[in-house]
């Protein structure tokens, strides 16, 4: 599931090679696939491409990009909670004080 972004980008390229101009829907699906695959940078690049091509970016596409950024932020936050930096001692794993804490809760 997380690798579908590669297929989506490949299909956009293939469309262009065959002379078929991707539309807002094509780009929207690719933005969503990139977001679901954790590729928020690619999702934002696609939004920028849409803007440069004067395409109308709809709410669904913007929401997909926002969701990609939120997913990346949650992942970064989760990683920060797992480790703590101790000056002179480097990084050490932090055990949660909450016994019900689970990474899947994020």
């Amino acid at each position: 599931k997380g690798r579908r972004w590669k297929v989506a980008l490949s299909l956009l390229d293939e469309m262009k090679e065959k002379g078929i101009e991707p539309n807002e829907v094509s780009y929207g699906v690719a933005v969503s696939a990139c977001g679901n695959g954790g590729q928020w940078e690619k999702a934002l690049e696609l939004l920028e491409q849409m803007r440069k091509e004067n395409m109308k970016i709809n709410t669904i596409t913007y929401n997909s990009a926002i969701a990609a950024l939120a997913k990346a932020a949650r992942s970064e936050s989760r990683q920060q909670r797992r480790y703590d930096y101790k000056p002179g001692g480097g990084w050490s794993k932090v055990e949660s004080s909450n016994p019900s804490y689970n990474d899947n809760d994020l």
Side-chain angles (χ1 to χ4, degrees):
K1 181 179 176 181
R3 296 175 205 245
R4 291 183 182 163
W5 65 273
K6 291 181 181 179
V7 174
L9 295 180
S10 174
L11 288 173
L12 282 179
D13 289 340
E14 188 176 332
M15 288 174 73
K16 292 174 187 175
E17 288 171 10
K18 293 185 176 188
I20 302 168
E21 283 301 314
N23 62 16
E24 291 88 350
V25 174
S26 307
Y27 273 98
V29 169
V31 168
S32 179
C34 287
N36 289 334
Q39 301 298 313
W40 63 269
E41 296 100 338
K42 295 278 187 198
L44 295 182
E45 286 174 20
L46 291 171
L47 282 180
E48 180 62 16
Q49 266 184 287
M50 292 177 75
R51 188 191 65 74
K52 285 180 179 177
E53 295 179 21
N54 294 317
M55 290 185 178
K56 182 177 180 183
I57 303 173
N58 64 29
T59 305
I60 295 168
T61 302
Y62 276 124
N63 283 341
S64 294
I66 291 167
L69 292 169
K71 184 176 181 178
R74 282 192 305 271
S75 176
E76 185 176 316
S77 175
R78 185 171 36 242
Q79 288 175 358
Q80 288 174 352
R81 279 186 269 192
R82 288 186 185 154
Y83 295 92
D84 188 26
Y85 183 76
K86 305 213 185 279
W91 290 95
S92 63
K93 186 155 178 97
V94 175
E95 298 300 324
S96 172
S97 59
N98 181 354
S100 64
Y101 173 79
N102 183 334
D103 281 348
N104 295 328
D105 293 340
L106 301 177

